[in-house]
Amino acid sequence: MPTGDLETRAERLREVVETPRRAFIPLPDTQVIERPGWLQLITPSLRQGGLNEVAYSALDEKEADAVIDETLEQYRRLGLRFRWTVGPDCRPADLAERLERRGLRRNETLGMIRGTSVPAIPEGDITVEQVDEHTVEEYSRTMAEGWEMDPGPITAFNRLVLTHPGRCHELFLARYRGMPAGTSGLVTFERSVYLLGGVVLPAFRGRGLYRALVTARLGYAAGRGIPFATVHSRASTSGPLLERFGFETLCRFPIFTND
């Protein structure tokens, strides 16, 4: 796979902000709405979230309120949990304030990047394995428990991920003394992997599992000659941890949800 350096801050910022917008595999019922200045996903089968989002919105200031209200009504009518990412290249400038006024919940997010060369996970109580068809149900149950979601739709989606002909997703299951304890994933691009979905079950937190999941994914990328890893992390939770793991914060932006 070809790789290349991201020499300037502007190049790294594009890799952090723009590239992850393509980190999705649509389900059969996913509607992808794309036009200049707009990328939106609607997936009725995933009512609790996932593949329901406005990933990019660059709106005309005079038309913004109408588009916002129409979009919120779409998700409300279908009863879907969704998110709206207001990245640094979204507009109008007060888009976040307009969404906040409509009662959406704001989560501050850090756009982060680092190189993928890391030491191996030390042997001990923690192991991390790549998920296959034999462990996808166990992975999905653990993921659903961690995110407090229905495992049925998640299992169906994860099976699709593993069998997709253009597969660029990988799933990772962490165990503590053999017990399933945490999950995460990544999406492979030309010059980076995008890390997503990391969660550790409450009973196993504080034991190094989150770090092990990050390290395993960085090692996966490094072993395939992919030089960078990017992530969108919650500023109040995973962000500080990832900074300690060597990730550089390039930007800060809000993601809104309707929960």
Side-chain angles (χ1 to χ4, degrees):
M1 178 178 294
T3 62
D5 292 333
L6 299 174
E7 296 181 354
T8 69
R9 188 181 189 281
E11 288 173 328
R12 296 197 302 276
L13 187 61
R14 282 195 295 272
E15 198 72 18
V16 166
V17 173
E18 298 180 23
T19 299
R21 290 174 184 154
R22 298 294 170 182
F24 66 87
I25 294 176
L27 286 169
D29 67 331
T30 299
Q31 183 181 3
V32 180
I33 303 170
E34 187 169 10
R35 57 181 183 265
W38 187 262
L39 177 60
Q40 179 189 5
L41 305 177
I42 301 174
T43 308
S45 61
L46 293 178
R47 299 179 64 86
Q48 294 177 299
L51 296 180
N52 286 293
E53 66 173 310
V54 177
Y56 176 53
S57 49
L59 305 174
D60 179 271
E61 186 168 0
K62 295 180 180 178
E63 298 175 354
D65 283 333
V67 174
I68 291 169
D69 290 338
E70 178 183 354
T71 303
L72 299 186
E73 175 59 22
Q74 283 179 314
Y75 290 116
R76 188 205 63 77
R77 187 170 61 250
L78 293 169
L80 302 177
R81 184 177 185 270
F82 72 94
R83 68 180 190 175
W84 192 314
T85 298
V86 183
D89 56 347
C90 291
R91 60 179 190 269
D94 65 344
L95 177 58
E97 287 71 23
R98 297 183 192 222
L99 295 173
E100 205 159 16
R101 285 199 298 268
R102 286 163 170 83
L104 297 185
R105 179 182 177 186
R106 179 175 183 142
N107 295 292
E108 292 301 319
T109 304
L110 306 181
M112 313 179 83
I113 191 169
R114 67 154 286 169
T116 55
S117 178
V118 294
I121 301 172
E123 294 184 4
D125 292 329
I126 299 171
T127 59
V128 180
E129 63 199 61
Q130 285 180 244
V131 175
D132 60 22
E133 66 274 14
H134 303 294
T135 53
V136 64
E137 288 196 16
E138 188 175 30
Y139 171 91
S140 299
R141 288 195 302 270
T142 306
M143 179 183 178
E145 182 180 348
W147 293 114
E148 298 181 344
M149 299 173 71
D150 179 0
I154 290 176
T155 302
F157 175 73
N158 289 332
R159 288 192 179 280
L160 174 66
V161 164
L162 294 179
T163 59
H164 194 272
R167 177 177 169 183
C168 57
H169 289 59
E170 293 292 338
L171 309 176
F172 295 80
L173 174 64
R175 300 182 186 274
Y176 184 78
R177 297 178 179 174
M179 300 176 62
T183 65
S184 64
L186 65 76
V187 185
T188 301
F189 296 102
E190 181 179 0
R191 296 187 293 182
S192 66
V193 292
Y194 175 58
L195 310 185
L196 74 169
V199 65
V200 175
L201 299 184
F204 298 98
R205 290 174 186 167
R207 304 173 189 266
L209 284 147
Y210 186 82
R211 183 173 192 132
L213 284 165
V214 173
T215 301
R217 289 177 288 171
L218 293 176
Y220 172 91
R224 286 152 183 81
I226 303 170
F228 296 99
T230 68
V231 63
H232 295 169
S233 65
R234 289 251 180 122
S236 60
T237 54
S238 56
L241 291 173
L242 291 167
E243 285 183 338
R244 291 201 291 273
F245 299 167
F247 280 82
E248 175 190 5
T249 298
L250 293 185
C251 59
R252 187 183 186 108
F253 55 90
I255 293 178
F256 290 87
T257 59
N258 61 331
D259 58 357

